[in-house]
């Protein structure tokens, strides 16, 4: 057993069975995670490889209580149709060529946030985060 596969405190098979046996479960939307990302110019291919080959699964869909996700690409023509001009979401409102939505199980937001903070710290530590991008 390697360090990567060795069980640590709280990750025994029994702990997962216990966790699954309590609290809300199901596929009723509770919260949504919506991202708008713009890769740095010239880094679009690398960003897409990272997102499609690693991040979509390891950084999103492998999380407990995250049960659906999808990504869309907004062409420049579609970005120019966005409104209002003064948006609380993105400045400028046309920013973000890649838009992703993920659904979190109703009643599991707090647990999801604890998991996502933990996994993102780990992914950052392991160099598995795309840095050449802006997000809103």
């Amino acid at each position: 057993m390697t360090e990567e596969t060795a069980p640590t405190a709280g990750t025994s098979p029994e702990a997962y069975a216990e966790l699954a046996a309590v609290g809300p479960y199901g596929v009723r939307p509770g919260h949504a995670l919506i991202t708008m990302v713009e890769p740095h110019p010239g880094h679009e291919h690398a960003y897409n490889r990272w997102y499609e080959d690693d991040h979509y699964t390891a950084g999103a869909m492998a999380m407990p209580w995250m049960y659906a996700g999808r990504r869309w690409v907004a062409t420049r023509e579609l970005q120019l149709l966005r409104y209002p001009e003064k948006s609380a979401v993105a400045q400028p409102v046309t920013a973000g060529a890649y838009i992703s939505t993920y659904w979190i199980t109703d009643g599991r937001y707090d647990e999801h946030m604890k998991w996502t903070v933990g996994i993102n710290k780990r992914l950052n530590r392991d160099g598995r985060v795309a840095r050449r991008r802006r997000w809103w």
Side-chain angles (χ1 to χ4, degrees), residues 1-13 16 122 125-126:
M1 191 171 288
T2 68
E3 182 180 324
E4 239 179 69
T5 60
T8 58
T11 59
S12 69
Y16 287 108
R122 185 176 183 185
R125 181 194 70 216
D126 295 344

Side-chain angles (χ1 to χ4, degrees), residues 53-124:
D53 297 344
D54 185 30
H55 182 69
Y56 179 75
T57 302
M61 297 311 299
M63 292 184 192
W65 309 296
M66 180 84 79
Y67 67 87
R70 180 86 189 249
R71 181 171 75 144
W72 293 269
V73 178
T75 62
R76 190 67 188 150
E77 292 83 15
L78 291 173
Q79 288 173 296
L80 293 172
L81 294 174
R82 293 181 185 159
Y83 64 92
E85 187 176 327
K86 298 205 183 286
S87 170
V89 176
Q91 285 298 324
V93 72
T94 56
Y98 298 94
I99 301 171
S100 300
T101 57
Y102 306 93
W103 293 101
I104 302 164
T105 301
D106 188 33
R108 292 296 194 173
Y109 178 78
D110 292 338
E111 294 96 331
H112 165 77
M113 288 308 296
K114 288 176 184 173
W115 181 279
T116 196
V117 167
I119 196 64
N120 280 293
K121 285 180 182 178
R122 185 176 183 185
L123 291 168
N124 266 295

